[in-house]
Amino acid sequence: MATPRSRTSKTASTLQPLFAPRSVALVGATARQGAIGRKVMENLLGEEFAGPVYAVNPRGGVVLCQPAFRSVKQLPEAVDLVIIAVPAAQVLEVVKECGKKGVKGIVIITAGFKEVGGKGLALEAQIREVVRKHGMRAIGPNCMGILNTDPEVRLNASFARARPSSGNVAFMSQSGALGDAILSYAPEMGVGISMFASMGNKMDVSGNDLLEYWAEDPHTDVILMYLESFGNPERFTQIARRVARKKPILAVKGGSTVAGARAAASHTGSLTGGGGAVDALFAECGVIRCHSVESLFQVAQALSRQPLPRGGRVAIITNAGGPGIMAADACDTTGLTVIPLSEKTQAKLAGKVNPYAALQNPVDLIASATPEDYRRAVDACLADDEVDAAIVLFVPPVITAPMAVAEGILTARAKHPEKPVLACFMSEDVDPAAAVERLREGGIPVYRFPESCVGALDAMVRYRRWLDRPEGKLPRYRVKKDAAEAVIAKVRADGRTMLTFGESQALLEAYGIPFAASEVVTDLDAALAAADRLAYPVVLKADDPRVVHKSDIGGVEVDLRDPGELVEAFRRIRRALEKAGAPEGSVRVQAMARTGTEVILGMAQDANLGPVILFGLGGIYVEILRQVGFKLPPLTDQDARELVDNLPGVEILRGARGRTPVDEARLLEIIERFGRFAADFAGQVQEVDLNPIFTAPQGSPTVAVDARVLLCPPS
């Protein structure tokens, strides 16, 4: 069986003709002003591609001083890469010619395929079949093209207007127009591009393929992605987790994911219909999520220039109190800590800088700070073992030369290359602009505002913590999968998708999820007898698949302590069922959980990502508080631990304000078992709601008291 590395190497080798071709042809080359075929030709020739460039135009002649061949089959060689910019109706024939000629890679810029549906969708399927038949790799259709700024390649096979500077950041975009704008923005943000790919319809080459390719590219140190959808989320997770161990991956996810366009049948279904599912996916595989293109490049600038910090302890050096306070406040809202500087560090600065300077942290050198003051302060802070990174702020006063300050910062940083330094020069005058350029040349990222510095550094710290995070192991539990499958088969045979409570309980008990004891009854005498067997206090619940939220119709009666209370409660539930259109519905008598803190555990299918697991504080308040965490199955022991550790309000589970701590080991086991269930039935179950689960102290049972399961619609 091939190892992950061999699979990656195979993908990399198949994409090499696309991004590092020895020869290129443009089908649709033209000298006509305003035509895409002209712009692509100008870009190919303007970058002085390191190989022959052939123009293909059915009329022949000359295009931008290049002799034009009438077809691909007339080319003097089987070129590595063909860019196609002809009308959609002609693309299939061109692709067939490429396959017969032995072309290895194609970029289809032409639009009018899957994105328009109908005939376009069918035509794209035909093209894909030809591409696969001949073993070619294809980017597009409906894309802007690709770039490789490597001096030994110099490929600009796109109609982009921007000419990004060479660098160590690769960028993939599902939006061609946005890609062009971002390429224009990159130099302003101090980010150099190694490669760029506009993905278009992703007919063949996917974002997953590019991750594998760029993971092995020696000129790429950081990978950026603008995503609108996930073609194969499971494969993306596997590949991204592996690649992120080698190189940071930053992503902006466009569009909101929705667990279901219809009304959700569970709390879990309604709560996963936002960004939480995408956050869970990215967090699981180490992808740094950015919520804007601006933050994407702010973080990329830092990661492409600086080492990762050991932790989140930050020193702030400034010559103005306001920006220093802004930076400290921003740190306070993230995971960064503005630590007090040690007495030793303060002593290094005392008497060496202005006597009115504040030496705690932030270090405020005041407006008269000299370049030498900055050099000493940055040096002293970076030399402090308790400092993991430094943020240097500079507001240019009249009397201090920004360039000299920049040189002072660079000199100090050179003595401590293992620690990151981020700078903020708050001015756009000519002198500061030159100083900013000097800092960037020296490897220090520079930002316009303090909050941007902090945001970039916080992303670096979060990435470091992910790298340091234990990978975890998949727990092994004995389960009764056959019994669970039998429950689902029976529901399917009945033509239903909503399970009754009894069916939901049987399904989940097959995976070791414990439930409070209960019995289903249809009349009052049976209810009284069941309550005697279960022992008071008991709970009565409406038990009918037509009633989704029992509390909403008054279908739950709790803490019934004697037969008199049960009789009255039973009659109220009967009236509630009748109003809800289920007069013959059953009633469940359940032993009441006497102790425990309520939590919710659930799963819902996300339209783009597949099954998403949710965990949080439960009961009737879950949709009000919305304090929940998300993970994607299967769950490792580390995943389960993080769901609990990262839960807002976890102190409640651990004994806050004199409460007895819950049996956390038992809770973790239940979460892990549920993760196994969610993985095993990922394609069959639409939503699961275990709400609430009463988490009890050691010695008392932790049990679920309600469950709701909805199957996926029949295929």
Side-chain angles (χ1 to χ4, degrees), residues 161 164 177 190 277 286 288 325-326 392 408 428 480 527 612 663 667 696-697 713:
R161 295 165 297 174
I288 302 167
I325 293 171
M326 292 167 63
V392 185
E428 290 189 339
K480 300 175 182 177
V612 179
D663 186 345
L667 176 60

Side-chain angles (χ1 to χ4, degrees), residues 79-357:
V79 298
D80 282 345
L81 173 64
V82 169
I83 303 111
I84 301 174
V86 298
Q90 301 173 22
V91 172
L92 178 59
E93 189 58 37
V94 173
V95 173
K96 289 178 178 178
E97 288 187 8
C98 290
K100 293 175 182 177
K101 187 72 174 180
V103 172
K104 297 182 177 67
I106 58 176
V107 173
I108 305 174
I109 290 175
T110 308
F113 297 94
K114 180 175 69 175
E115 76 279 5
V116 301
K119 293 181 179 179
L121 181 65
L123 183 56
E124 183 172 315
Q126 291 180 276
I127 294 170
R128 183 189 300 109
E129 185 177 337
V130 174
V131 166
R132 291 177 177 174
K133 174 184 176 181
H134 293 282
M136 295 184 288
R137 299 308 309 266
I139 286 181
N142 185 31
C143 74
M144 193 180 74
I146 60 177
L147 292 90
N148 185 348
T149 65
D150 181 354
E152 295 185 4
V153 179
R154 301 190 302 277
L155 174 70
N156 187 346
S158 76
F159 59 91
R161 295 165 297 174
R163 299 183 64 180
S165 56
S166 179
N168 60 345
V169 176
F171 175 50
M172 181 274 280
S173 176
Q174 279 186 244
S175 166
L178 183 62
D180 191 20
I182 289 173
L183 289 177
S184 302
Y185 186 54
E188 179 184 335
M189 292 298 296
V191 173
I193 301 297
S194 58
M195 296 188 203
F196 166 77
S198 167
M199 300 303 296
N201 294 358
K202 298 191 292 185
M203 178 190 72
D204 174 45
V205 174
S206 67
N208 293 336
D209 293 330
L210 290 180
L211 283 177
E212 291 187 314
Y213 180 58
W214 287 335
E216 296 192 358
D217 176 45
H219 303 292
T220 296
D221 295 323
V222 180
I223 299 171
L224 310 185
M225 310 181 83
Y226 171 75
L227 300 170
E228 293 176 350
S229 64
F230 297 92
N232 187 333
E234 184 176 355
R235 185 166 177 255
F236 174 84
T237 302
Q238 294 169 349
I239 293 171
R241 184 186 290 119
R242 184 173 67 245
V243 174
R245 293 280 169 190
K246 300 171 63 175
K247 299 177 181 181
I249 304 169
L250 284 64
V252 171
K253 173 66 174 67
S256 61
T257 61
V258 180
R262 67 202 173 286
S266 68
H267 295 290
T268 305
S270 62
L271 288 168
T272 54
V278 175
D279 285 338
L281 173 69
F282 287 162
E284 187 169 319
C285 51
V287 173
I288 302 167
R289 185 176 189 184
C290 301
H291 293 279
S292 68
V293 172
E294 184 175 24
S295 65
L296 183 78
F297 277 90
Q298 288 170 350
V299 178
Q301 186 186 170
L303 286 168
S304 65
R305 296 171 182 271
Q306 291 286 293
L308 290 176
R310 297 173 303 176
R313 300 169 300 180
V314 184
I316 300 171
I317 300 103
T318 181
N319 67 341
I325 293 171
M326 292 167 63
D329 287 346
C331 287
D332 193 50
T333 62
T334 67
L336 305 180
T337 304
V338 183
I339 61 161
L341 295 179
S342 67
E343 292 183 3
K344 180 180 177 181
T345 299
Q346 293 186 52
K348 282 184 180 180
L349 295 174
K352 302 289 181 63
V353 297
N354 192 297
Y356 296 105

